[in-house]
Amino acid sequence: MIIKNADVVLQDGVKRLDIRVENGIVAELAEHIAGEGMDCTGLTVFPGLIDMHVHLREPGFEKKEDIASGSAAAVKGGFTQICCMPNTRPVTDNKVVVSYILNRAREVNLCKVHPIGAITEGQEGKNLAAIGAMKAAGAVALSEDGKSVANTSLMANAMLYAADFGLKCLCHCEDASLVDGGVVNEGYYSTLTGLKGSIRAAEDILIAREICLAESLSLPVHICHVSTYSGVQLIREAKARGVKVTAETCPHYFTLTDAAIADFDTNTKVNPPLREERDRLAVIEGLRDGTLDCIVTDHAPHHFDDKNVEYAVAAFGISGLETSFALSYTLLVKGGVLTLSELARKMSAAPAAILSLQGGAVEEGGVADLTIADLNAQWTIDPATFVSKGKNTPFAGRQVFGKVRYTIVDGEIRYREENA
Ligand code: DOR
């Protein structure tokens, strides 16, 4: 395969190049490569996007999503690799579930799927899960996502064990006693709606705890879906003094505020909750100055029935795989916050580095995982067009720029936009 006349996003800028792909590898990258090829004039080639925080729901919640529908949503959204969280049923806390996910993903054969194992058995916060066995079966990280490990001593042990097996803990930060049933950010809009709020400290206390553990134990830690200005500052300060902390945020935290909850749209219900403008701006600044290493979706597909209920009892989560690239490009690159190379770093190179995955760059000899997009294409987000089973998005009707035309995995076209 030869990709011709594409604007290729490299680590330090964008260059008009041809790309020759052979045996799943980028064999040559040059200004002109002889031979017939795919004319990509006007299109931009990114290193295959990697989403290190996705919920695929299988096994157990296939009504919400399964590995086939989630993988289809991933490649449509431009993702060549995704990492799936362990809050399945049964919980992904052992090698059998890890192997099941890997086998099913191989059968589906769309994007690469990397399972994340639970930190504790059954995500119950009592005993550590079978960390070594999960690593041997192919788990790429550990997380209790959906909640935190409440017991600090157990969390310290988890970090030590994880490190022994070359794994990192990806920490969902939430003090359950402080959240205490809160469903939105505590502030003007929780008062206006009468919905129970939870304060920033519920997230920040756990961010601070995980940083303290990482610092004391001299181990790496990764903070999931940062939503507060104060959390961004805790991570910034920790990085400045050399703590091995990395962090992610999601498009909804740099795009929306809790003003979006005012009409009780349950698609705005997410954990951690949408915060205030001060937080949104701090998240953007955190992405700009490198405090926040990567952009993930926290793709949390839910069935219509899980959301079509009163706000207080609706499920938390946003279906994000099919909107993340366009929202990130529109808000951050067109918004003047990041360059295309920086966006590629946040959505590909950084997650690859954090989890030691292959990919992350378009380079000779590198894996031919490529995302090809039309950055000038303007479109309107419409959940009816989602291939994910989860149509739960607060972005319906929003105009965005940047449409994925092709997603190439190991040198094979695994997604091609209709008419592309
Ligand atoms: O909104 C969320 N939904 N946040 C989480 O941490 C978990 C996720 C889910 O599994 O639905």
Side-chain angles (χ1 to χ4, degrees):
M1 180 197 294
I2 303 177
I3 295 165
K4 298 231 161 189
N5 307 313
D7 292 320
V8 182
V9 182
L10 305 169
Q11 264 130 320
D12 52 0
V14 179
K15 253 196 181 153
R16 176 70 53 89
L17 292 170
D18 292 353
I19 305 171
R20 187 162 56 80
V21 171
E22 239 173 59
N23 301 324
I25 300 292
V26 173
E28 190 182 356
L29 207 52
E31 278 176 20
H32 178 72
I33 299 175
E36 286 286 296
M38 240 166 93
D39 183 21
C40 286
T41 304
L43 301 182
T44 304
V45 178
F46 289 82
L49 305 182
I50 302 173
D51 188 347
M52 62 180 280
H53 192 143
V54 165
H55 297 269
L56 290 180
R57 307 299 192 205
E58 183 179 352
F61 301 101
E62 292 83 355
K63 205 171 82 164
K64 297 174 189 277
E65 189 80 289
D66 57 36
I67 292 169
S69 61
S71 299
V75 292
K76 187 172 167 214
F79 295 99
T80 54
Q81 305 190 63
I82 56 177
C83 304
C84 56
M85 285 294 174
N87 57 344
T88 48
R89 191 176 60 203
V91 168
T92 310
D93 64 358
N94 63 74
K95 64 180 182 183
V96 177
V97 185
V98 170
S99 304
Y100 170 79
I101 293 168
L102 285 170
N103 289 335
R104 184 67 196 119
R106 254 179 240 123
E107 283 169 8
V108 167
N109 199 32
L110 288 172
C111 59
K112 295 168 191 167
V113 175
H114 306 289
I116 297 168
I119 295 175
T120 71
E121 284 173 6
Q123 290 192 286
E124 283 171 358
K126 293 192 191 108
N127 305 306
L128 290 185
I131 294 172
M134 288 195 290
K135 160 81 183 189
V140 296
L142 300 174
S143 180
E144 205 82 327
D145 193 61
K147 53 180 148 175
S148 291
V149 175
N151 184 308
T152 305
S153 152
L154 189 62
M155 189 61 202
N157 269 333
M159 283 190 193
L160 287 163
Y161 267 82
D164 280 348
F165 290 102
L167 296 174
K168 282 180 192 160
C169 291
L170 318 181
C171 300
H172 172 115
C173 293
E174 176 180 0
D175 181 316
S177 70
L178 260 184
V179 171
D180 190 27
V183 293
V184 295
N185 179 63
E186 182 167 313
Y188 174 81
Y189 285 98
S190 62
T191 308
L192 189 79
T193 55
L195 293 169
K196 187 168 164 61
S198 94
I199 57 175
R200 291 183 183 88
E203 180 173 345
D204 297 344
I205 285 168
L206 265 292
I207 294 178
R209 184 193 75 170
E210 313 306 33
I211 287 171
C212 289
L213 288 174
E215 188 165 17
S216 281
L217 300 171
S218 202
L219 291 174
V221 74
H222 178 82
I223 307 296
C224 290
H225 42 50
V226 178
S227 75
T228 64
Y229 78 85
S230 31
V232 173
Q233 185 59 13
L234 284 166
I235 296 161
R236 181 178 290 122
E237 287 164 6
K239 283 190 168 189
R241 62 178 191 276
V243 182
K244 288 179 248 169
V245 57
T246 52
E248 61 183 42
T249 192
C250 316
H252 37 277
Y253 299 120
F254 59 74
T255 308
L256 298 175
T257 67
D258 58 355
I261 73 168
D263 62 359
F264 297 91
D265 175 3
T266 57
N267 290 317
T268 64
K269 184 174 174 182
V270 63
N271 184 18
L274 300 175
R275 308 269 184 196
E276 296 178 312
E277 184 63 2
R278 174 178 193 183
D279 302 282
R280 192 183 76 86
L281 295 175
V283 164
I284 291 174
E285 182 54 24
L287 285 165
R288 202 194 57 72
D289 75 7
T291 301
L292 301 175
D293 303 85
C294 42
I295 298 168
V296 303
T297 59
D298 191 9
H299 177 70
H302 287 292
H303 191 269
F304 180 72
D305 295 348
D306 303 320
K307 286 287 194 180
N308 190 32
V309 289
E310 295 89 320
Y311 202 99
V313 296
F316 288 98
I318 291 172
S319 181
L321 282 169
E322 289 162 80
T323 56
S324 178
F325 172 72
L327 287 168
S328 301
Y329 172 69
T330 305
L331 268 284
L332 302 175
V333 178
K334 280 190 96 66
V337 180
L338 301 178
T339 64
L340 283 174
S341 295
E342 287 164 344
L343 183 71
R345 173 145 194 86
K346 306 277 183 206
M347 298 189 76
S348 183
I354 291 167
L355 296 180
S356 305
L357 305 175
Q358 57 170 190
V362 186
E363 59 191 2
E364 284 183 0
V367 64
D369 285 358
L370 305 168
T371 301
I372 307 184
D374 180 351
L375 299 181
N376 294 315
Q378 191 176 11
W379 56 289
T380 306
I381 294 174
D382 175 5
T385 66
F386 285 7
V387 298
S388 166
K389 290 186 194 178
K391 316 295 179 198
N392 47 304
T393 177
F395 296 111
R398 183 177 280 256
Q399 294 265 315
V400 284
F401 286 90
K403 198 121 218 275
V404 174
R405 297 286 193 224
Y406 303 92
T407 302
I408 297 174
V409 181
D410 288 331
E412 287 177 13
I413 298 176
R414 300 280 172 84
Y415 169 77
R416 178 197 300 261
E417 197 198 32
E418 266 171 64
N419 310 321

